[in-house]
Amino acid sequence: MFKAHITITLRPSILDPQGKASHHALGELGFDSVSSVRIGKFVEMDLEAGSRDEALKVAEQACSQLLSNPVMEDYHIELNEVVVS
Amino acid sequence: MFKAHITITLRPSILDPQGKASHHALGELGFDSVSSVRIGKFVEMDLEAGSRDEALKVAEQACSQLLSNPVMEDYHIELNEVVVS
């Protein structure tokens, strides 16, 4: 079994109102040293595959077809094989 | 400057309707090999701090006071120092 840890982030050129609001709220709480906050999604996906390459292909297709918005977002996949004994 | 990459995930015992919906949608699209999907948040935070320990403390406080819900969520912080030359 493979475990994919996927981070989906807004492209740098896209405004991030949720991040801006969190940054502002942190400032109100006294966190003056924080200079930027951007918020994305984190997806943990378990999948069965015969090989690492196959697992990566499935995770990439899931990202491009459903999980991310390819116009506004980038995704990064970290894949780990889990050996069940 | 430090860059914190924070992942905020629902605790394993907490139901995740957004993850369930994504899993179901992936099944409809033919991704039969995916056995579980759980969705959390990913926060990229830039902060100024005199040391790594100080930066970690600020990031932890930001997580516990604002970014995460300590009753339902766990957070994990990855900290990198960015040297601006």
Side-chain angles (χ1 to χ4, degrees):
Chain A
M1 194 189 76
F2 290 86
K3 239 183 204 313
H5 283 183
I6 302 166
T7 52
I8 299 170
T9 48
L10 283 169
R11 298 205 163 160
S13 59
I14 306 285
L15 283 177
D16 175 14
Q18 199 187 356
K20 275 257 179 303
S22 300
H23 184 199
H24 180 74
L26 285 171
E28 297 278 311
L29 289 170
F31 290 89
D32 300 324
S33 58
V34 175
S35 57
S36 161
V37 179
R38 285 182 74 83
I39 296 189
K41 275 181 289 184
F42 176 69
V43 182
E44 270 180 294
M45 189 194 287
D46 295 349
L47 63 159
E48 297 294 338
S51 70
R52 202 182 162 76
D53 284 354
E54 198 193 309
L56 191 60
K57 207 174 141 196
V58 169
E60 278 179 349
Q61 285 179 339
C63 283
S64 61
Q65 287 181 37
L66 182 84
L67 299 171
S68 82
N69 173 347
V71 177
M72 293 168 64
E73 294 173 327
D74 292 320
Y75 58 82
H76 172 82
I77 300 167
E78 213 182 283
L79 202 63
N80 291 302
E81 189 164 3
V82 180
V83 180
V84 185
S85 59
Chain B
M1 195 188 77
F2 290 87
K3 238 182 204 313
H5 283 182
I6 303 166
T7 51
I8 300 170
T9 48
L10 282 169
R11 298 208 161 157
S13 59
I14 306 285
L15 283 177
D16 175 13
Q18 198 187 355
K20 275 256 178 307
S22 300
H23 184 200
H24 180 76
L26 284 171
E28 296 278 310
L29 289 170
F31 289 89
D32 300 324
S33 58
V34 175
S35 57
S36 161
V37 180
R38 284 182 76 82
I39 295 188
K41 277 181 289 185
F42 176 70
V43 182
E44 271 180 295
M45 190 195 287
D46 294 349
L47 64 159
E48 297 293 340
S51 69
R52 203 183 161 74
D53 284 355
E54 196 193 309
L56 191 61
K57 207 174 141 194
V58 170
E60 278 178 350
Q61 284 178 341
C63 283
S64 61
Q65 287 181 37
L66 183 85
L67 300 170
S68 82
N69 173 345
V71 177
M72 294 167 65
E73 293 172 327
D74 291 319
Y75 58 83
H76 172 83
I77 300 168
E78 213 182 282
L79 202 62
N80 291 303
E81 189 165 4
V82 180
V83 180
V84 185
S85 58

